[in-house]
């Protein structure tokens, strides 16, 4: 299978999500660059993306999402829908797994073929109900992600799935990237077709060196996809990015 690559924009911030008109304007800007061809839908404050991830989109919101998917694709931009169940998922719960797949099936029915599952910014402790089966997040999260990938492969021709880990930058690694148990287990357990998101040495990285990427790639057994937060402003609403990249 050919390696997939993503160049584009993530709507993944905390705060009011963009409107349909703002997204349409974004896609015009992306087209003007000639290189930004992917848009990932991941607004933290869309409750149905994160806080109420189990709930299906009601008709009105499903229609809005359908139009966003359609307009994105008509603009020549790939649409990636992301879901973030990590706040309260019980990894061993069949009910939760069914809810996840049912939600994804709804989004597939709206026209989406590319997805991401995000486990960033979640509680630090594995739910007690999961601890008999899984020793850590590093075992539980790939189990869910791999099942989701298999489901997508049954439902869609040539689907895409990206994965955002709980340790998503080098600063979070313990003791370091090379020796972090979580990252090493993900490298072994996460299906090789699943892309791996990474923000660099820090949550907001001014510099990402080739050497650091080679080190990470050796651990996770694939090239990472960089989720670049350099321009983000949701961490300090008094500031905004206005300088040269």
């Amino acid at each position: 299978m050919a390696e997939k690559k993503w160049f584009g924009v993530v709507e993944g911030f905390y705060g009011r999500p963009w409107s349909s008109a703002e997204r349409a304007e974004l896609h015009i800007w992306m087209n003007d660059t000639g290189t930004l061809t992917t848009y990932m839908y991941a607004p933290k404050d869309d409750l149905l993306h994160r806080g109420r991830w189990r709930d299906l989109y009601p008709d009105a919101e499903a229609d809005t999402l359908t139009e966003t998917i359609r307009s994105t694709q008509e603009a020549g931009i790939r649409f990636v829908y992301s879901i973030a169940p990590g706040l309260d998922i019980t990894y061993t719960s069949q009910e939760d797994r069914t809810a996840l797949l049912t939600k994804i099936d709804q989004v597939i029915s709206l026209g989406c073929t590319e997805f991401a599952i995000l486990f960033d910014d979640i509680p630090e402790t594995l739910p007690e109900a999961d601890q008999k089966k899984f020793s850590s997040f590093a075992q539980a999260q790939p189990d869910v992600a791999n099942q989701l990938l298999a489901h997508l492969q049954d439902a869609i021709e040539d689907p895409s799935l990206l994965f955002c880990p709980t340790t998503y930058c080098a600063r979070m690694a313990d003791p370091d990237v090379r020796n972090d148990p979580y990252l090493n287990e993900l490298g072994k357990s996460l299906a090789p077709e699943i892309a791996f998101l990474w923000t660099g040495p820090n949550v907001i990285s001014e510099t990402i060196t080739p050497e650091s990427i080679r080190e990470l790639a050796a651990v996770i057994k694939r090239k990472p996809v960089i989720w670049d937060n350099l321009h983000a402003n949701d961490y300090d609403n008094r500031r905004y990015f206005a300088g040269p990249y």
Side-chain angles (χ1 to χ4, degrees):
M1 185 176 68
E3 181 183 28
K4 295 184 179 181
K5 298 182 179 181
W6 292 264
F7 299 96
V9 175
V10 180
E11 182 182 347
F13 49 82
Y14 291 91
R16 181 183 60 81
W18 287 328
S19 67
S20 296
E22 288 168 332
R23 293 179 185 125
E25 187 172 18
L26 167 70
H27 298 150
I28 293 173
W29 294 342
M30 291 172 66
N31 270 328
D32 287 345
T33 70
T35 56
L36 301 179
T37 58
T38 305
Y39 162 74
M40 182 187 292
Y41 180 89
K44 291 290 197 295
D45 287 348
D46 171 1
L47 292 179
L48 298 179
H49 152 76
R50 183 172 169 87
R52 290 168 40 209
W53 61 269
R54 297 174 182 83
D55 295 349
L56 297 178
Y57 285 94
D59 289 345
E61 294 185 50
D63 289 344
T64 299
L65 186 56
T66 299
E67 179 55 34
T68 298
I69 294 170
R70 181 183 299 114
S71 63
T72 303
Q73 295 170 343
E74 288 176 351
I77 306 295
R78 296 162 62 187
F79 182 96
V80 178
Y81 177 85
S82 64
I83 191 165
L87 287 177
D88 62 357
I89 187 173
T90 299
Y91 295 89
T92 53
S93 167
Q94 187 57 52
E95 184 177 356
D96 273 1
R97 295 206 184 206
T98 298
L100 175 65
L101 299 182
T102 301
K103 180 68 163 286
I104 293 300
D105 282 342
Q106 182 191 31
V107 182
I108 290 173
S109 74
L110 304 182
C112 184
T113 61
E114 301 194 74
F115 293 86
I117 186 166
L118 313 182
F119 291 105
D120 56 322
D121 302 344
I122 64 172
E124 297 181 359
T125 305
L126 190 69
E128 185 175 352
D130 295 321
Q131 292 177 14
K132 289 184 178 180
K133 180 174 181 180
F134 300 115
S135 63
S136 68
F137 284 131
Q139 291 184 348
Q141 292 170 357
D143 197 69
V144 170
N146 291 345
Q147 181 185 17
L148 174 55
L149 175 64
H151 183 78
L152 292 174
Q153 290 171 332
D154 287 340
I156 303 170
E157 183 177 354
D158 194 28
S160 297
L161 181 61
L162 297 99
F163 176 95
C164 185
T166 304
T167 299
Y168 55 84
C169 68
R171 182 176 60 82
M172 297 177 177
D174 185 19
D176 52 39
V177 169
R178 187 184 304 275
N179 298 292
D180 183 87
Y182 173 81
L183 293 174
N184 276 276
E185 182 62 36
L186 288 182
K188 298 174 185 176
S189 301
L190 195 65
E193 301 95 332
I194 298 176
F196 193 101
L197 292 161
W198 186 253
T199 67
N202 297 291
V203 176
I204 301 152
S205 299
E206 293 187 9
T207 301
I208 303 175
T209 66
E211 292 75 19
S212 71
I213 296 304
R214 293 189 189 102
E215 179 183 52
L216 174 67
V219 171
I220 64 173
K221 310 296 191 252
R222 73 207 73 201
K223 297 176 183 178
V225 177
I226 300 301
W227 181 325
D228 191 351
N229 282 320
L230 183 63
H231 64 284
N233 66 350
D234 59 342
Y235 57 91
D236 186 347
N237 290 328
R238 299 167 299 176
R239 304 171 62 192
Y240 66 98
F241 182 82
Y245 183 71

